[in-house]
Structures are given as C-alpha cells and as structure tokens.
C-alpha cells in the first residue's frame, strides 16, 4: 500500500513517525513543500492552491491514500485537496479533535496553533460538534523557536508562558463557573517537540493531545477496511521543494531517525 | 520616473520609506512576494527563481530602475535578477557595506542577518574588498519576533542578547589584539525596527548601519546621472502575492505611514 504524507515542511514528519510505528507495512511517500513554507502565516486561498498542487504531485507517484500532515492545510484546504485527487484524503484536525473529545472530562478544551489554523476555527468547529467548549490561541513564534532548535530553552519557555497565560486568562474570564479546560490540543505538528517544556508550564491536571497517533490509527482503520490495499514490506521516500540538506538535518529531529535521501522536486504553480 | 521596489514581504518598506524621503519625485511600484516569504531560510536557487519572476512582473509595469529591497535576494540573486530585466538593478548589500566601510574607524565590522544572507557571505565579501575584517551571525528568530510586533519586548531583548553575545565572543576569540568592531551592519530590512532595543544592548561606542538610506542615496545618484528619467509628482502603488490585509496592517509599521490600497497579483512559477 502506497501512502502519501504531505506537509509544508518538516513538522509532518512527527505524523510520519507515528504512522511508521502504527502502520509499518506500507510504502510512504513524504512531500515537504519547503520552498513555499510556512503555510501557517498565509491566506486560505494561497494555502489551498499550494496544497492542491502538492497533492497532485504525490498522486502522480501512485499513492492510494493521502495524509495531510499539516494543520494549516488540513484546516483551510481539505476540500480543495479532496477535489484535486481521486483518492481518500485524511487530515489531522478531525482525528485530533475526536481524541480530545474522548479524553476531556470537563468538556472544555484549549487549542494552540499557527495563525492560519486558529483563524480558520477548524478545531473549534470540530470540537463543538462533539459538544465541547473551546478557547483558541495562535502562537506564531513557537514554530521558528522549534526550527532554531530551542525546544528546551528558557526563551521558548518564556514565550510559551506568555501565550498560555493569555489563553488561560481568557478562559477564566469566559468560564466564570470555575470549571477549567483539562485538555490542550497541540494544533501544529511542530509542537510535539515542545511536550517536555509544555508539561512544566501546564496545570498538573491538563493533558496534551497531538494528532499524530490519532491520524495513524485512522489510517490503520481505512487500510483494514479496504481489502484492495496490499500489505508491503514498508519503505519511506522523501521529496522536498527546497533545501535538501536542511530537510535532512532538521527533519531527523522531527522523524526521530536519520533521513538517508531526499529528492528535490519542482511543483507547478 | 518609475522605480520598482521589490522585497519578499514587508521589510523592504523600510527602504521605500527612505526612498520617499530622499527621492520623493518618483513613482514607486512596491512588490512584496508575501505568498512565498520568507526568502531568508530558503536556498539560493529558490530565492533566485522567485526574485527573477518578481522582477519581471515589475518590469511589465514599466519601471525604469529596480531596487532589490531584500537582503536575502540581494545577497544570492542579484545576478539572476540583472539577467532577467534590461534595466539598472540596485541591491542593498553594496550600499550598506560601503556605508559601513566609510564609518568604521577600527576597520572591524559585525554583520547580522537571515540564514540565507549570512550563509552567502555577501556582506563579508563586500566589506573585505574595502579592507575591513568581518564577523557575521545569522539571527533567524528576529524576523518572526518583529512580525509578532514584539519590537520592544523583553523576550526579543533576551534573544538579541544571546545572538550578540555569541557574535562578540567569536570576535574576542579571533581578534586577540583587543581591537573590537565598532560597527554593526543590520543586514535585514526588518532590523531597523529593533534599533531602540539594540542600542540598549550594544557597547556604547558601536554604531548601527542599515542599508535603507545608503540605497536611497545611490538611487538619487543614478537618477541624477540619467537625464532621461523624468521627475514626477510622486506616487506609490503596492502589489502583494498574498494576505493583503496583513500587508496593509503590518506594512504600515515598516513604512511609517498608512497603506491605502494593495493589489493582489499572481506570479508565474
């Protein structure tokens, strides 16, 4: 079974990492659109346009299923991507929201992510259909801090504290009955690398949810349901639209293992 | 006289600001390639490719002179841009380096900028032709911090201190005669917004140089030398490849005045 995994850059490799662990018997084709990253600060139209051309590229490589391992693209471009390719497409928002809904006891959830993801209210909408109350906060500095390698740095801790304090103040102002959120959705594939740091800042009874494992389980489900998919020995190919060396070195941190080879591709506009 | 001003996004508006002050009698066409920003973390090939298509767009609008108000593009793509359009092209590196060379008494200079600009050693090469010794440091977090609006924030001060301490430690280790750099080149058009903050961190006798005024004076010189250029009443048109509202709101901070209208354009790949 050939599975495409698409992200604007490196973050989606945290999703591929979960996929390799939960659905190992598949051939993965990962595309990072690193020439046009970041998607998180761009308009929905531009993100949809870029994501659709990336999806088409992976489809020409023979994938049977596509995972959008990018919160910004999942949030604003899932429909455009589904129109662009005639195969099943799984985004990260719905699986992440469902996991949070299953875990939250207070039925109140917080979400952090990029500007594009938060402005789309995609998590908020998905969580509300599960009957949860939601507060969201864009944290645009966290991606550059992770990419600088400052995943356990005092500056990153200070920035995270500022963002989360603003978020929790808003929760307290809105939820005057004193019942707090007990779940924080990490709505960006870079944020799993900040889990140790965030766990020091968050209230003790607050749990973190990232979409990676949830997506991998949904892929496993789709693969099981579709008898036409053939089990394969398992492989990974990597494609990027820019900066191959950076993809290899930075990507290894997200994937949790070495990346042997990356192929440069040029996507049509 | 129609002058094109090009940047990957908003930073070049600090250069346009100087141009409006020093060469007011011209019609400016500013293009921010905001759909594909940032250039500073991308490969030289990709930056050259994007910058050339942006230059061609401005040339179709009838410009007679093009200012590359982007350090990353000036550093790695000036030749590609000059090949792409049959008009004079002025980058920011050479004017900035010349200004620094004229100002430095100790003949030792430090340069800060994006990853692409620093990795190109364009400032270093330009300064060395003036006989100066140079130390450079990439500061990738400063652009996102400026774009978050944290131009006078304790976190930004802490980040700047970390980068500059690393830079100055390297200077001390290399220049063991105790003669220090007396000039810091701000090799990124976002950094002028950090001048008040940086002046609190820098040694008292260290001066900052940004390219904006230097470029504007060079444009004035070219305009004076070319009798064919007609003086005009002065106007500004703005084009961007994404996020018009963000361009208007964020851009006003860089330009120092309101931006009334921005036109969305799509560039060929």
């Amino acid at each position: 079974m050939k599975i495409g995994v698409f992200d604007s850059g490196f973050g989606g490799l945290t999703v591929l990492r979960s996929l390799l662990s939960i659905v190992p018997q598949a051939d993965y084709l990962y595309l990072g659109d690193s020439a046009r990253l970041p998607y998180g600060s761009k308009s929905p139209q531009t993100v949809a346009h870029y994501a659709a051309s990336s999806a088409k590229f992976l489809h020409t490589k023979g994938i049977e299923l596509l995972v959008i391992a990018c919160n910004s693209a999942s949030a604003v471009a899932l429909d455009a991507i589904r129109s662009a390719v005639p195969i099943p497409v799984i985004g990260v928002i719905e699986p992440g929201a469902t996991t949070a809904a299953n875990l939250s006891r207070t039925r109140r959830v917080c979400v952090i992510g990029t500007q594009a993801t938060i402005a789309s209210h995609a998590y908020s909408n998905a969580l509300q259909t599960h009957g949860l109350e939601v507060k969201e906060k864009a944290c645009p500095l966290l991606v550059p801090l992770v990419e600088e390698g400052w995943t356990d740095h005092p500056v990153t801790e200070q920035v995270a504290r500022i963002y989360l304090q603003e978020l929790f103040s808003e929760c307290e102002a809105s939820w005057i009955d004193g019942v707090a959120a007990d779940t924080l959705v990490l709505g960006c594939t870079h944020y799993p690398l900040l889990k140790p740091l965030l766990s020091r800042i968050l209230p003790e009874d607050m749990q973190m949810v990232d979409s990676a494992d949830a997506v991998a389980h949904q892929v496993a489900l789709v693969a099981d349901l579709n008898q036409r998919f053939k089990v394969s020995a398992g492989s990974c190919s990597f494609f990027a639209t820019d900066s191959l060396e950076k993809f290899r070195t930075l990507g290894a941190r997200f994937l949790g293992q070495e990346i042997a080879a990356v192929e440069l591709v040029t996507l049509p506009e």
Side-chain angles (χ1 to χ4, degrees), chain A:
Chain A
M1 179 182 184
K2 267 193 173 178
I3 301 177
V5 181
F6 163 65
D7 180 45
S8 57
F10 322 99
L13 292 166
T14 60
V15 175
L16 180 57
R17 187 178 188 163
S18 288
L19 282 164
L20 287 170
S21 148
I22 292 166
V23 191
Q25 293 181 310
D27 295 317
Y28 291 98
L29 284 80
Y30 183 96
L31 170 62
D33 190 11
S34 39
R36 304 191 288 198
L37 67 80
Y39 284 9
S41 54
K42 299 201 169 97
S43 73
Q45 294 75 20
T46 294
V47 170
H49 185 62
Y50 289 173
S53 78
S54 300
K56 280 179 188 162
F57 166 79
L58 284 169
H59 186 244
T60 64
K61 296 275 170 187
I63 57 165
E64 298 155 276
L65 174 68
L66 176 58
V67 175
I68 307 302
C70 170
N71 280 273
S72 304
S74 298
V76 305
L78 207 56
D79 289 344
I81 296 166
R82 286 189 169 133
S83 306
V85 290
I87 51 170
V89 177
I90 296 177
V92 289
I93 305 282
E94 184 51 47
T98 304
T99 305
N102 290 340
L103 285 172
S104 174
R105 277 167 305 222
T106 66
R107 312 310 290 158
R108 284 177 178 168
V109 170
C110 290
V111 181
I112 56 175
T114 63
Q115 274 165 336
T117 301
I118 298 305
S120 76
H121 302 302
Y123 272 107
S124 194
N125 295 339
L127 288 160
Q128 280 164 6
T129 64
H130 291 283
L132 279 81
E133 291 182 90
V134 188
K135 292 285 169 203
E136 303 174 288
K137 174 80 183 162
C139 305
L141 286 170
L142 295 185
V143 166
L145 284 162
V146 169
E147 297 209 340
E148 181 69 322
W150 291 13
T151 48
D152 197 24
H153 192 284
V155 164
T156 310
E157 185 161 333
Q158 199 180 341
V159 170
R161 274 187 202 282
I162 290 169
Y163 284 139
L164 290 173
Q165 258 161 20
E166 288 174 11
L167 176 59
F168 296 152
S169 296
E170 211 194 306
C171 290
E172 277 170 31
S174 295
W175 297 332
I176 50 171
D177 59 9
V179 177
D182 64 351
T183 305
L184 177 71
V185 176
L186 307 183
C188 172
T189 52
H190 279 64
Y191 298 175
L193 275 73
L194 297 173
K195 273 185 185 172
L197 182 148
L198 291 171
S199 68
R200 292 201 299 271
I201 303 176
L202 293 179
E204 215 172 285
D205 52 354
M206 190 165 220
Q207 59 206 328
M208 284 178 272
V209 168
D210 78 81
S211 301
D213 282 355
V215 168
H217 283 296
Q218 189 159 342
V219 169
L221 192 71
V222 171
D224 283 345
L225 290 175
N226 279 277
Q227 296 300 326
R228 68 186 166 92
F229 294 137
K230 283 189 211 129
V231 163
S232 68
S235 70
C236 275
S237 308
F238 298 93
F239 304 90
T241 53
D242 192 23
S243 306
L244 301 189
E245 194 46 41
K246 189 176 169 191
F247 188 97
R248 286 184 62 232
T249 50
L250 196 57
R253 261 189 263 152
F254 289 88
L255 187 61
Q257 63 183 61
E258 291 304 304
I259 294 173
V262 188
E263 187 180 322
L264 184 69
V265 294
T266 304
L267 299 178
E269 181 75 358

